[in-house]
Amino acid sequence: MKQVILIILLLLPMFSKAQPEKVPVRFLQDYYYYGINPLKEGVNVFVVTKRREFEKLFGKTNRPDTPDFSKEWMIVLAMPKTKWNAKIDVDKVSMKAGSFIEVYTHIDDGRRKYSYDTYPIKVAIIPKYKNVKKLHFYDGRKLHLLTTLDVD
């Protein structure tokens, strides 16, 4: 009996590590989509893992808050220009036990029309995880899968 309890106590840290973890997220302000390709209708999702990809989306910059791509990934949610008060937000980012991260978003297409164009965008930085191969993006209200992106 003592041996069984000892084995359970030794394996307990392994089971607790397999539980979903909250991923630390850092949000960035005042980034504007510069990409060559026009954005598709609805929400466009990008995971930026290299400086070259970053420069294609946002242009060259020396900003102090630019991510260190050797340690971090950049998550970008963007919508094409609109006159509506559309908003995009990231509710929660959690790492499941396994090879993917779940990102829960809040997307509001807007209810009020402006007299000018807006460019809804949300930019976040998360740590780079060696074993993570996919990012799953969910609508936080409806809890349905928006898209899945592979990461290098």
Side-chain angles (χ1 to χ4, degrees):
M1 184 64 175
K2 287 183 183 181
Q3 292 171 340
V4 172
I5 293 174
L6 181 62
I7 290 172
I8 291 173
L9 288 175
L10 290 173
L11 294 176
L12 190 61
M14 188 170 60
F15 293 126
S16 66
K17 194 64 177 166
Q19 298 305 310
E21 297 175 32
K22 189 168 172 84
V23 175
V25 180
R26 180 171 50 110
F27 294 102
L28 301 179
Q29 301 295 320
D30 302 323
Y31 273 84
Y32 302 99
Y33 179 75
Y34 173 75
I36 298 166
N37 298 331
L39 295 171
K40 296 181 288 188
E41 193 61 35
V43 178
N44 295 264
V45 180
F46 306 99
V47 177
V48 183
T49 60
K50 296 180 177 88
R51 179 71 183 205
R52 189 172 3 114
E53 294 171 6
F54 172 82
E55 289 175 355
K56 284 181 184 176
L57 292 177
F58 300 107
K60 294 189 183 238
T61 183
N62 313 7
R63 290 176 53 153
D65 64 349
T66 303
D68 178 2
F69 291 105
S70 66
K71 301 178 205 169
E72 298 172 320
W73 288 331
M74 177 184 261
I75 297 172
V76 180
L77 295 128
M79 293 173 72
K81 77 176 179 177
T82 182
K83 288 196 180 282
W84 294 92
N85 68 331
K87 293 181 182 155
I88 305 171
D89 208 0
V90 175
D91 292 337
K92 180 176 79 167
V93 180
S94 63
M95 184 170 109
K96 288 291 209 176
S99 63
F100 61 91
I101 292 177
E102 293 178 337
V103 180
Y104 293 92
T105 63
H106 177 79
I107 300 151
D108 184 2
D109 292 331
R111 291 175 181 81
R112 218 172 48 240
K113 196 168 187 179
Y114 293 143
S115 59
Y116 54 87
D117 290 330
T118 62
Y119 299 85
I121 189 168
K122 189 67 166 186
V123 179
I125 304 297
I126 61 171
K128 185 177 185 176
Y129 292 99
K130 206 172 20 174
N131 62 335
V132 172
K133 305 291 182 224
K134 294 183 182 283
L135 271 77
H136 299 293
F137 292 87
Y138 291 92
D139 182 333
R141 285 187 286 167
K142 298 174 187 170
L143 295 178
H144 74 275
L145 183 66
L146 295 173
T147 188
T148 297
L149 296 178
D150 295 326
V151 290
D152 302 348

